Coordinates of all heavy atoms in Angstrom, one line a residue:
A144 N -28.2 -52.1 172.7 CA -27.8 -52.7 174.0 C -27.7 -51.5 175.0 O -27.5 -50.4 174.7 CB -26.4 -53.4 173.9
G145 N -27.8 -51.8 176.3 CA -27.6 -50.8 177.3 C -29.0 -50.1 177.6 O -30.0 -50.5 177.2
A146 N -28.9 -49.0 178.2 CA -30.0 -48.2 178.6 C -30.8 -47.7 177.3 O -30.2 -47.4 176.3 CB -29.7 -47.0 179.5
A147 N -32.0 -47.6 177.4 CA -32.8 -47.0 176.3 C -32.8 -45.5 176.5 O -33.6 -44.9 177.4 CB -34.2 -47.6 176.3
Y148 N -32.1 -44.8 175.7 CA -32.1 -43.3 175.8 C -33.3 -42.7 175.0 O -33.6 -43.2 174.0 CB -30.8 -42.8 175.2 CG -29.6 -43.1 176.1 CD1 -28.6 -44.0 175.7 CD2 -29.4 -42.5 177.4 CE1 -27.6 -44.3 176.5 CE2 -28.4 -42.8 178.1 CZ -27.4 -43.7 177.7 OH -26.3 -44.0 178.5
L149 N -33.8 -41.6 175.5 CA -34.7 -40.8 174.8 C -34.1 -40.3 173.6 O -33.0 -39.8 173.6 CB -35.3 -39.7 175.6 CG -36.3 -38.8 175.1 CD1 -37.6 -39.5 174.8 CD2 -36.6 -37.6 175.9
R150 N -34.7 -40.3 172.5 CA -34.2 -39.7 171.2 C -34.8 -38.4 171.0 O -36.1 -38.2 170.9 CB -34.5 -40.7 170.0 CG -33.8 -42.0 170.3 CD -33.6 -42.8 169.0 NE -34.9 -43.4 168.6 CZ -35.0 -44.1 167.5 NH1 -33.9 -44.4 166.7 NH2 -36.1 -44.6 167.1
V151 N -34.0 -37.4 171.0 CA -34.4 -36.0 171.0 C -34.1 -35.4 169.6 O -33.0 -35.4 169.1 CB -33.7 -35.1 172.1 CG1 -34.2 -33.7 172.0 CG2 -34.0 -35.8 173.4
T152 N -35.1 -34.9 168.9 CA -34.9 -34.2 167.6 C -34.6 -32.7 167.8 O -34.9 -32.2 168.9 CB -36.1 -34.4 166.7 OG1 -37.2 -33.7 167.4 CG2 -36.5 -35.8 166.5
P153 N -34.0 -32.1 166.9 CA -33.8 -30.7 166.9 C -35.0 -29.9 167.2 O -35.0 -28.9 168.0 CB -33.2 -30.3 165.5 CG -32.5 -31.6 165.1 CD -33.4 -32.7 165.6
S154 N -36.2 -30.3 166.7 CA -37.4 -29.5 166.9 C -37.9 -29.7 168.4 O -38.4 -28.8 169.0 CB -38.5 -29.9 166.0 OG -38.8 -31.3 166.0
M155 N -37.6 -30.9 169.0 CA -37.9 -31.1 170.4 C -37.0 -30.2 171.2 O -37.5 -29.6 172.2 CB -37.8 -32.6 170.8 CG -38.8 -33.5 170.2 SD -38.2 -35.2 170.4 CE -38.3 -35.5 172.2
L156 N -35.8 -30.2 170.9 CA -34.8 -29.4 171.6 C -35.1 -27.9 171.5 O -35.0 -27.2 172.6 CB -33.4 -29.7 171.0 CG -32.2 -29.0 171.6 CD1 -32.0 -29.4 173.0 CD2 -30.9 -29.3 170.8
R157 N -35.5 -27.4 170.4 CA -35.9 -26.0 170.3 C -37.0 -25.5 171.2 O -37.0 -24.3 171.5 CB -36.3 -25.7 168.8 CG -35.1 -25.3 167.9 CD -35.6 -24.7 166.6 NE -36.4 -25.6 165.8 CZ -35.8 -26.4 164.9 NH1 -34.6 -26.5 164.8 NH2 -36.6 -27.2 164.2
R158 N -37.9 -26.4 171.6 CA -38.9 -26.0 172.6 C -38.4 -25.9 174.0 O -39.1 -25.3 174.9 CB -40.0 -27.0 172.6 CG -40.9 -26.9 171.4 CD -42.0 -28.1 171.4 NE -42.0 -28.6 170.0 CZ -42.0 -30.0 169.8 NH1 -41.8 -30.8 170.8 NH2 -42.0 -30.4 168.5
Q159 N -37.2 -26.4 174.3 CA -36.6 -26.5 175.6 C -35.7 -25.3 175.9 O -34.5 -25.5 176.0 CB -36.0 -27.8 175.9 CG -36.9 -29.0 175.8 CD -37.9 -29.1 176.8 OE1 -37.7 -28.6 178.0 NE2 -39.1 -29.6 176.5
T160 N -36.2 -24.1 175.9 CA -35.4 -22.9 176.1 C -35.3 -22.4 177.5 O -34.6 -21.5 177.8 CB -36.0 -21.7 175.2 OG1 -37.3 -21.5 175.7 CG2 -35.9 -22.1 173.8
G161 N -36.1 -23.0 178.4 CA -36.1 -22.6 179.8 C -37.2 -21.5 180.0 O -37.4 -21.1 181.1
R162 N -37.9 -21.2 178.9 CA -39.0 -20.3 179.1 C -40.3 -21.1 179.0 O -40.4 -22.2 178.8 CB -39.0 -19.3 178.0 CG -37.7 -18.4 178.0 CD -37.9 -17.2 177.1 NE -38.0 -17.6 175.7 CZ -37.0 -17.8 174.8 NH1 -35.8 -17.6 175.2 NH2 -37.3 -18.1 173.6
R163 N -41.4 -20.4 179.3 CA -42.8 -20.9 179.2 C -42.9 -22.2 180.2 O -43.5 -23.2 179.8 CB -43.3 -21.3 177.8 CG -43.4 -20.1 176.9 CD -43.9 -20.5 175.6 NE -43.4 -19.7 174.5 CZ -42.3 -20.1 173.8 NH1 -41.8 -21.3 174.0 NH2 -41.9 -19.4 172.8
G164 N -42.3 -22.1 181.3 CA -42.4 -23.2 182.3 C -41.7 -24.5 182.0 O -41.9 -25.5 182.6
K165 N -40.9 -24.4 180.8 CA -40.2 -25.7 180.5 C -38.7 -25.5 180.9 O -38.1 -24.5 181.0 CB -40.2 -25.8 179.0 CG -41.6 -26.2 178.5 CD -41.5 -26.7 177.0 CE -42.9 -27.2 176.5 NZ -42.7 -27.5 175.1
D166 N -38.1 -26.7 181.1 CA -36.6 -26.7 181.5 C -35.8 -26.3 180.3 O -36.3 -26.5 179.1 CB -36.2 -28.1 181.9 CG -36.7 -28.4 183.4 OD1 -36.8 -27.5 184.1 OD2 -36.8 -29.6 183.7
A167 N -34.6 -25.9 180.6 CA -33.7 -25.6 179.4 C -32.8 -26.8 179.2 O -32.2 -27.4 180.0 CB -32.8 -24.4 179.8
W168 N -32.9 -27.2 177.9 CA -32.0 -28.3 177.4 C -31.0 -27.8 176.5 O -31.1 -26.8 175.8 CB -32.8 -29.4 176.7 CG -33.8 -30.1 177.5 CD1 -34.2 -30.0 178.8 CD2 -34.7 -31.1 177.0 NE1 -35.2 -30.8 179.2 CE2 -35.5 -31.5 178.1 CE3 -34.9 -31.7 175.8 CZ2 -36.5 -32.5 177.9 CZ3 -35.8 -32.7 175.6 CH2 -36.7 -33.1 176.7
T169 N -29.8 -28.5 176.4 CA -28.8 -28.2 175.4 C -28.2 -29.6 174.9 O -28.2 -30.5 175.7 CB -27.7 -27.3 175.9 OG1 -26.9 -26.8 174.7 CG2 -26.8 -27.9 176.8
A170 N -27.7 -29.5 173.7 CA -27.0 -30.7 173.2 C -25.5 -30.5 173.2 O -25.0 -29.4 172.9 CB -27.5 -31.1 171.8
L171 N -24.7 -31.4 173.8 CA -23.3 -31.4 173.8 C -22.8 -32.7 173.3 O -23.0 -33.8 173.9 CB -22.8 -31.1 175.2 CG -23.1 -29.8 175.9 CD1 -22.7 -29.7 177.3 CD2 -22.4 -28.7 175.1
G172 N -22.0 -32.7 172.2 CA -21.4 -33.9 171.7 C -22.4 -35.1 171.4 O -22.1 -36.2 171.6
G173 N -23.6 -34.6 170.9 CA -24.6 -35.6 170.6 C -25.5 -36.1 171.7 O -26.4 -36.9 171.5
R174 N -25.2 -35.6 172.9 CA -26.0 -35.9 174.1 C -26.8 -34.7 174.5 O -26.4 -33.6 174.3 CB -25.2 -36.3 175.3 CG -24.5 -37.7 175.1 CD -23.5 -37.9 176.2 NE -22.4 -38.8 175.7 CZ -22.4 -40.1 176.0 NH1 -23.3 -40.6 176.7 NH2 -21.5 -40.8 175.5
V175 N -28.0 -34.9 174.9 CA -29.0 -33.8 175.3 C -29.1 -33.8 176.9 O -29.3 -34.8 177.5 CB -30.3 -34.0 174.7 CG1 -31.3 -32.8 175.2 CG2 -30.3 -34.0 173.2
Y176 N -28.8 -32.6 177.4 CA -28.8 -32.4 178.9 C -29.8 -31.4 179.3 O -30.0 -30.4 178.6 CB -27.5 -32.0 179.3 CG -26.3 -32.9 179.1 CD1 -25.5 -32.8 178.0 CD2 -26.1 -34.0 180.0 CE1 -24.4 -33.8 177.8 CE2 -25.0 -34.9 179.9 CZ -24.2 -34.8 178.7 OH -23.2 -35.7 178.5
N177 N -30.4 -31.6 180.5 CA -31.3 -30.7 181.1 C -30.3 -29.8 182.0 O -29.8 -30.2 182.9 CB -32.3 -31.3 182.0 CG -33.2 -30.3 182.7 OD1 -33.1 -29.2 182.4 ND2 -34.0 -30.8 183.7
I178 N -30.1 -28.5 181.5 CA -29.2 -27.6 182.2 C -29.8 -26.8 183.3 O -29.2 -26.0 184.0 CB -28.4 -26.7 181.2 CG1 -29.3 -26.0 180.2 CG2 -27.3 -27.6 180.4 CD1 -28.6 -25.0 179.3
S179 N -31.2 -26.9 183.5 CA -31.9 -26.0 184.4 C -31.3 -26.2 185.8 O -31.1 -25.3 186.5 CB -33.4 -26.3 184.4 OG -33.9 -25.6 183.2
P180 N -31.1 -27.5 186.3 CA -30.6 -27.6 187.7 C -29.2 -27.1 187.9 O -28.9 -26.8 189.0 CB -30.6 -29.2 187.9 CG -31.5 -29.8 186.8 CD -31.4 -28.8 185.7
Y181 N -28.5 -27.0 186.8 CA -27.1 -26.6 186.9 C -26.9 -25.1 186.8 O -25.9 -24.5 187.2 CB -26.2 -27.3 185.8 CG -24.8 -26.9 185.8 CD1 -23.9 -27.2 186.9 CD2 -24.2 -26.1 184.8 CE1 -22.6 -26.8 186.9 CE2 -22.9 -25.7 184.8 CZ -22.1 -26.1 185.9 OH -20.8 -25.7 185.8
L182 N -28.0 -24.4 186.3 CA -27.9 -22.9 186.1 C -27.3 -22.1 187.2 O -26.4 -21.3 187.1 CB -29.3 -22.4 185.7 CG -29.7 -22.6 184.2 CD1 -31.2 -22.2 184.1 CD2 -28.8 -21.6 183.4
P183 N -27.8 -22.4 188.5 CA -27.3 -21.5 189.6 C -25.8 -21.8 190.0 O -25.2 -21.0 190.7 CB -28.2 -21.9 190.8 CG -29.2 -22.8 190.3 CD -28.8 -23.2 188.9
F184 N -25.3 -22.9 189.5 CA -23.9 -23.3 189.8 C -22.9 -23.0 188.7 O -21.7 -23.2 188.9 CB -23.9 -24.8 190.1 CG -24.8 -25.3 191.1 CD1 -26.0 -25.9 190.8 CD2 -24.5 -25.0 192.5 CE1 -26.9 -26.3 191.8 CE2 -25.4 -25.4 193.5 CZ -26.6 -26.1 193.1
H185 N -23.3 -22.5 187.6 CA -22.4 -22.3 186.5 C -21.4 -21.1 186.7 O -21.9 -20.0 186.9 CB -23.2 -22.0 185.1 CG -22.3 -21.8 184.0 ND1 -22.4 -20.7 183.2 CD2 -21.3 -22.6 183.4 CE1 -21.5 -20.8 182.2 NE2 -20.8 -21.8 182.4
P186 N -20.1 -21.4 186.8 CA -19.2 -20.3 187.1 C -19.2 -19.1 186.2 O -18.9 -18.0 186.5 CB -17.8 -21.1 187.1 CG -18.1 -22.5 187.2 CD -19.4 -22.7 186.6
G187 N -19.6 -19.4 184.9 CA -19.8 -18.3 183.9 C -21.1 -17.5 184.0 O -21.3 -16.7 183.2
G188 N -22.0 -17.9 184.9 CA -23.3 -17.3 185.1 C -24.4 -17.8 184.3 O -24.2 -18.5 183.3
E189 N -25.6 -17.5 184.7 CA -26.8 -18.1 184.1 C -27.1 -17.6 182.6 O -27.3 -18.4 181.7 CB -28.0 -17.9 184.9 CG -27.9 -18.5 186.3 CD -29.3 -18.6 187.0 OE1 -30.3 -18.4 186.4 OE2 -29.3 -18.9 188.3
P190 N -26.9 -16.3 182.4 CA -27.2 -15.8 181.0 C -26.2 -16.4 180.0 O -26.7 -16.8 178.9 CB -26.9 -14.3 181.1 CG -27.1 -14.0 182.6 CD -26.7 -15.1 183.3
E191 N -25.0 -16.6 180.4 CA -24.0 -17.2 179.4 C -24.4 -18.7 179.2 O -24.5 -19.1 178.0 CB -22.6 -17.3 180.1 CG -21.8 -16.0 179.9 CD -21.4 -15.7 178.5 OE1 -20.6 -16.5 177.9 OE2 -21.9 -14.8 177.9
L192 N -24.7 -19.4 180.2 CA -25.1 -20.8 179.9 C -26.4 -20.9 179.1 O -26.5 -21.8 178.3 CB -25.3 -21.5 181.3 CG -25.7 -22.9 181.4 CD1 -24.8 -23.8 180.5 CD2 -25.7 -23.5 182.8
L193 N -27.3 -20.0 179.4 CA -28.6 -20.0 178.6 C -28.4 -19.6 177.1 O -29.4 -19.9 176.3 CB -29.6 -19.0 179.3 CG -30.3 -19.6 180.5 CD1 -31.1 -18.5 181.2 CD2 -31.1 -20.8 180.2
R194 N -27.3 -19.2 176.7 CA -27.1 -19.0 175.2 C -27.1 -20.4 174.6 O -27.4 -20.4 173.3 CB -25.7 -18.3 175.0 CG -25.7 -16.8 175.4 CD -24.3 -16.3 175.4 NE -23.7 -16.3 174.1 CZ -22.4 -16.2 173.8 NH1 -21.6 -16.1 174.8 NH2 -22.0 -16.3 172.6
A195 N -26.8 -21.4 175.2 CA -26.9 -22.7 174.6 C -28.2 -23.4 174.7 O -28.4 -24.5 174.2 CB -25.8 -23.6 175.3
A196 N -29.1 -22.8 175.4 CA -30.5 -23.4 175.6 C -31.3 -23.6 174.4 O -31.4 -22.7 173.5 CB -31.3 -22.6 176.7
G197 N -31.9 -24.7 174.2 CA -32.8 -25.0 173.1 C -32.0 -25.3 171.8 O -32.7 -25.3 170.7
R198 N -30.8 -25.5 171.9 CA -30.0 -25.8 170.7 C -28.7 -26.5 170.9 O -28.4 -26.9 172.1 CB -29.6 -24.4 170.0 CG -28.7 -23.5 170.7 CD -28.8 -22.1 170.1 NE -27.8 -21.2 170.5 CZ -26.5 -21.1 170.0 NH1 -26.1 -21.8 169.0 NH2 -25.7 -20.2 170.5
D199 N -28.0 -26.8 169.9 CA -26.7 -27.5 170.1 C -25.7 -26.6 170.6 O -25.3 -25.6 169.9 CB -26.3 -28.1 168.7 CG -25.2 -29.2 168.9 OD1 -24.3 -29.0 169.7 OD2 -25.2 -30.2 168.1
G200 N -25.2 -26.8 171.8 CA -24.2 -25.9 172.5 C -22.8 -26.3 172.3 O -21.9 -25.7 172.9
T201 N -22.5 -27.4 171.5 CA -21.2 -28.0 171.4 C -20.1 -27.0 171.0 O -19.1 -26.9 171.6 CB -21.2 -29.2 170.4 OG1 -22.3 -30.1 170.7 CG2 -19.8 -29.9 170.4
K202 N -20.4 -26.2 169.9 CA -19.5 -25.2 169.4 C -19.2 -24.1 170.4 O -18.0 -23.8 170.7 CB -20.0 -24.6 168.1 CG -18.9 -23.8 167.3 CD -19.3 -23.7 165.9 CE -18.4 -22.7 165.2 NZ -18.8 -21.3 165.4
L203 N -20.2 -23.6 171.0 CA -20.1 -22.5 172.0 C -19.3 -23.0 173.2 O -18.4 -22.3 173.6 CB -21.5 -22.1 172.4 CG -21.9 -20.7 172.8 CD1 -21.3 -19.7 172.0 CD2 -23.4 -20.6 172.9
F204 N -19.7 -24.1 173.7 CA -19.0 -24.7 174.8 C -17.5 -24.9 174.5 O -16.7 -24.5 175.3 CB -19.6 -26.1 175.1 CG -19.0 -26.8 176.3 CD1 -19.7 -26.7 177.6 CD2 -17.9 -27.5 176.3 CE1 -19.1 -27.3 178.7 CE2 -17.3 -28.2 177.3 CZ -18.0 -28.1 178.6
G205 N -17.1 -25.5 173.4 CA -15.8 -25.7 173.0 C -14.9 -24.5 172.8 O -13.7 -24.4 172.9
E206 N -15.6 -23.4 172.4 CA -14.9 -22.1 172.2 C -14.5 -21.5 173.5 O -13.5 -20.8 173.6 CB -15.9 -21.1 171.4 CG -15.9 -21.4 169.9 CD -17.1 -20.5 169.3 OE1 -17.7 -19.8 170.0 OE2 -17.3 -20.8 168.1
I207 N -15.2 -21.8 174.5 CA -15.0 -21.1 175.8 C -14.2 -22.0 176.8 O -13.2 -21.5 177.4 CB -16.3 -20.7 176.5 CG1 -17.0 -19.6 175.6 CG2 -16.1 -20.2 177.9 CD1 -18.4 -19.4 175.8
H208 N -14.6 -23.2 177.0 CA -13.8 -24.1 177.9 C -13.8 -25.5 177.5 O -14.5 -26.3 178.1 CB -14.4 -23.9 179.4 CG -15.9 -23.8 179.4 ND1 -16.7 -24.6 178.7 CD2 -16.6 -23.1 180.3 CE1 -18.0 -24.3 179.1 NE2 -17.9 -23.3 179.9
P209 N -12.9 -25.8 176.5 CA -12.9 -27.2 176.0 C -12.3 -28.2 177.1 O -12.5 -29.4 176.9 CB -11.9 -27.2 174.8 CG -11.2 -25.9 175.0 CD -12.1 -24.9 175.7
W210 N -11.7 -27.7 178.1 CA -11.1 -28.6 179.2 C -12.2 -29.0 180.2 O -11.9 -29.8 181.0 CB -10.0 -27.8 179.9 CG -10.5 -26.5 180.5 CD1 -11.0 -26.4 181.8 CD2 -10.5 -25.2 179.9 NE1 -11.4 -25.1 182.0 CE2 -11.0 -24.3 180.9 CE3 -10.0 -24.7 178.7 CZ2 -11.1 -22.9 180.6 CZ3 -10.1 -23.4 178.5 CH2 -10.7 -22.5 179.4
V211 N -13.4 -28.4 180.2 CA -14.4 -28.7 181.2 C -15.1 -30.1 180.8 O -15.5 -30.3 179.7 CB -15.5 -27.6 181.3 CG1 -16.7 -28.1 182.2 CG2 -14.9 -26.3 181.8
N212 N -15.1 -31.0 181.8 CA -15.6 -32.3 181.5 C -17.2 -32.3 181.8 O -17.6 -32.7 182.9 CB -14.9 -33.3 182.5 CG -15.3 -34.8 182.2 OD1 -16.3 -35.0 181.5 ND2 -14.4 -35.7 182.6
Y213 N -17.9 -31.9 180.8 CA -19.4 -31.9 181.0 C -20.0 -33.2 181.2 O -21.0 -33.3 181.8 CB -20.0 -31.1 179.8 CG -19.9 -31.9 178.5 CD1 -20.7 -32.8 178.1 CD2 -18.8 -31.5 177.6 CE1 -20.6 -33.5 176.9 CE2 -18.7 -32.1 176.4 CZ -19.6 -33.1 176.0 OH -19.4 -33.8 174.8
E214 N -19.4 -34.3 180.6 CA -20.0 -35.6 180.7 C -20.1 -36.0 182.1 O -21.1 -36.7 182.6 CB -19.2 -36.6 179.9 CG -19.5 -36.5 178.4 CD -18.8 -37.5 177.6 OE1 -17.5 -37.3 177.3 OE2 -19.4 -38.5 177.2
T215 N -19.1 -35.8 182.9 CA -19.1 -36.1 184.4 C -20.0 -35.2 185.1 O -20.8 -35.6 185.9 CB -17.6 -36.1 184.9 OG1 -16.8 -37.0 184.2 CG2 -17.7 -36.6 186.4
M216 N -19.8 -33.9 184.8 CA -20.5 -32.8 185.6 C -22.0 -33.0 185.4 O -22.8 -32.7 186.4 CB -20.1 -31.4 185.2 CG -18.6 -31.1 185.6 SD -18.3 -29.4 185.1 CE -19.5 -28.5 186.1
L217 N -22.4 -33.3 184.2 CA -23.9 -33.3 183.9 C -24.5 -34.7 183.8 O -25.6 -34.9 183.2 CB -24.1 -32.5 182.6 CG -23.7 -31.0 182.5 CD1 -24.0 -30.5 181.2 CD2 -24.5 -30.2 183.6
S218 N -23.8 -35.7 184.3 CA -24.2 -37.1 184.0 C -25.6 -37.3 184.7 O -26.4 -38.0 184.0 CB -23.3 -38.1 184.7 OG -23.1 -37.9 186.0
S219 N -25.9 -36.6 185.8 CA -27.3 -36.9 186.3 C -28.4 -36.0 185.6 O -29.6 -36.0 185.9 CB -27.3 -36.5 187.8 OG -26.9 -35.1 188.0
C220 N -27.9 -35.2 184.7 CA -28.8 -34.3 183.9 C -29.1 -34.8 182.5 O -29.7 -34.1 181.7 CB -28.3 -32.9 183.8 SG -28.0 -32.1 185.5
L221 N -28.5 -36.0 182.2 CA -28.7 -36.5 180.8 C -30.1 -36.9 180.5 O -30.8 -37.6 181.3 CB -27.8 -37.8 180.7 CG -27.7 -38.4 179.3 CD1 -27.1 -37.5 178.3 CD2 -27.0 -39.8 179.3
I222 N -30.6 -36.3 179.4 CA -32.0 -36.6 178.9 C -31.9 -37.7 177.9 O -32.8 -38.6 177.9 CB -32.5 -35.3 178.3 CG1 -32.7 -34.2 179.3 CG2 -33.9 -35.6 177.5 CD1 -33.8 -34.4 180.3
G223 N -31.0 -37.7 176.9 CA -31.0 -38.6 175.8 C -30.0 -38.2 174.7 O -29.1 -37.5 175.0
L224 N -30.3 -38.8 173.5 CA -29.4 -38.6 172.4 C -30.0 -37.7 171.4 O -31.3 -37.8 171.1 CB -29.0 -39.9 171.8 CG -28.3 -40.9 172.7 CD1 -28.1 -42.2 172.0 CD2 -27.1 -40.4 173.3
L225 N -29.2 -36.8 170.8 CA -29.7 -36.0 169.7 C -29.7 -36.8 168.4 O -28.7 -37.4 168.0 CB -28.8 -34.8 169.5 CG -29.3 -33.7 168.6 CD1 -30.5 -33.0 169.0 CD2 -28.1 -32.6 168.3
V226 N -30.9 -36.8 167.8 CA -31.0 -37.6 166.5 C -31.7 -36.6 165.5 O -32.3 -35.6 165.9 CB -31.9 -38.8 166.6 CG1 -31.3 -39.8 167.6 CG2 -33.3 -38.4 167.0
D227 N -31.5 -36.9 164.2 CA -32.2 -36.0 163.2 C -33.7 -36.4 163.1 O -34.1 -37.4 163.6 CB -31.5 -36.0 161.9 CG -31.4 -37.4 161.2 OD1 -32.5 -38.1 161.3 OD2 -30.5 -37.7 160.5
E228 N -34.4 -35.5 162.5 CA -35.9 -35.7 162.5 C -36.3 -37.0 161.9 O -37.2 -37.7 162.5 CB -36.5 -34.5 161.7 CG -36.2 -33.1 162.2 CD -36.7 -32.7 163.5 OE1 -37.7 -33.3 164.0 OE2 -36.2 -31.8 164.1
A229 N -35.7 -37.5 160.9 CA -36.1 -38.7 160.2 C -35.9 -39.9 161.0 O -36.6 -40.8 161.1 CB -35.4 -38.8 158.9
E230 N -34.7 -39.9 161.7 CA -34.3 -41.0 162.6 C -35.2 -41.2 163.7 O -35.4 -42.4 164.2 CB -32.9 -40.6 163.2 CG -31.9 -41.8 163.1 CD -30.6 -41.4 163.7 OE1 -30.0 -40.3 163.3 OE2 -30.2 -42.0 164.7
A231 N -35.9 -40.2 164.2 CA -36.8 -40.3 165.4 C -38.0 -41.1 165.0 O -38.7 -41.8 165.9 CB -37.2 -39.0 165.9
Q232 N -38.4 -41.1 163.7 CA -39.6 -41.8 163.3 C -39.5 -43.3 163.1 O -40.4 -44.1 163.4 CB -40.1 -41.2 161.9 CG -41.2 -40.2 162.1 CD -40.7 -38.8 161.9 OE1 -40.4 -38.4 160.8 NE2 -40.7 -38.0 163.0
S233 N -38.2 -43.7 162.8 CA -38.0 -45.1 162.5 C -38.0 -46.0 163.7 O -37.8 -45.5 164.9 CB -36.7 -45.3 161.8 OG -35.6 -44.8 162.6
Ligands
HEM440 C1 -16.9 -21.1 183.1 C2 -19.2 -25.4 183.1 C3 -21.7 -24.1 179.3 C4 -19.6 -19.8 179.4 C5 -17.3 -22.5 183.4 C6 -16.5 -23.3 184.3 C7 -17.2 -24.5 184.4 C8 -18.2 -24.4 183.5 C9 -16.8 -25.7 185.2 C10 -15.3 -22.9 185.1 C11 -14.1 -23.3 184.2 C12 -12.7 -23.0 184.7 O1 -12.6 -22.0 185.6 O2 -11.8 -23.5 184.2 C13 -20.0 -25.4 182.1 C14 -20.9 -26.5 181.8 C15 -21.6 -26.1 180.7 C16 -21.2 -24.9 180.4 C17 -21.0 -27.9 182.5 C18 -22.7 -27.1 180.1 C19 -23.7 -26.7 179.3 C20 -21.3 -22.9 178.9 C21 -21.8 -22.1 177.8 C22 -21.2 -20.9 177.8 C23 -20.3 -20.8 179.0 C24 -22.8 -22.6 176.7 C25 -21.3 -19.7 176.9 C26 -22.2 -19.5 176.0 C27 -18.7 -19.8 180.4 C28 -17.8 -18.6 180.7 C29 -17.0 -19.1 181.8 C30 -17.4 -20.4 182.1 C31 -17.8 -17.3 180.0 C32 -15.9 -18.2 182.5 C33 -16.3 -17.6 183.7 C34 -15.2 -16.9 184.4 O3 -14.1 -17.4 184.4 O4 -15.4 -15.7 184.7 N1 -18.2 -23.2 182.8 N2 -20.3 -24.4 181.3 N3 -20.4 -22.1 179.7 N4 -18.5 -20.8 181.3 FE1 -19.3 -22.6 181.3

């Protein structure tokens, strides 16, 4: 039910590092976000934010600022849901 979210596998996520002309994506709490538009606004700076690019950034994010409400801040940057490789095929 609801919106049809893009299902993103870890291998798809790994290609989205922000290099080679592609946007930087990260996964937070099972959701995948395009963080490229947010890069210039991140109070911690672009290099810090890019440490989470192309991978699951949940742990890193939680270690630094668990109080930050990323769901609201990045709602317009939502790409889809992180799924495992097998789930994407079904
Ligand atoms: C600061 C947002 C990811 C490192 C902040 C602040 C916000 C924010 C709002 C200010 C917090 C405050 O002053 O209370 C976000 C969002 C992220 C993200 C929406 C979504 C991906 C990351 C990641 C890292 C990181 C992955 C590190 C690998 C930092 C650091 C600061 C900071 C070090 C502190 C900057 C300072 O006070 O000098 N971030 N962040 N952030 N962020 Fe992030």
Side-chain angles (χ1 to χ4, degrees):
Y148 290 109
L149 180 67
R150 298 199 286 180
V151 180
T152 62
S154 58
M155 289 165 71
L156 182 59
R157 270 197 295 277
R158 283 176 227 126
Q159 300 290 331
T160 58
R162 298 190 300 268
R163 294 187 218 92
K165 289 189 175 181
D166 283 337
W168 295 1
T169 193
L171 295 171
R174 294 166 202 264
V175 176
Y176 295 97
N177 179 9
I178 51 175
S179 286
Y181 180 65
L182 278 168
F184 304 102
H185 181 233
E189 299 197 14
E191 277 292 291
L192 182 50
L193 281 172
R194 289 170 62 199
R198 62 193 192 92
D199 195 322
T201 308
K202 188 160 171 278
L203 211 44
F204 182 98
E206 282 167 3
I207 294 162
H208 38 43
W210 59 87
V211 172
N212 188 340
Y213 65 83
E214 284 182 277
T215 304
M216 291 184 64
L217 298 178
S218 60
S219 64
C220 299
L221 183 63
I222 295 286
L224 301 179
L225 186 65
V226 298
D227 63 36
E228 306 288 342
E230 225 181 305
Q232 259 105 70
S233 60

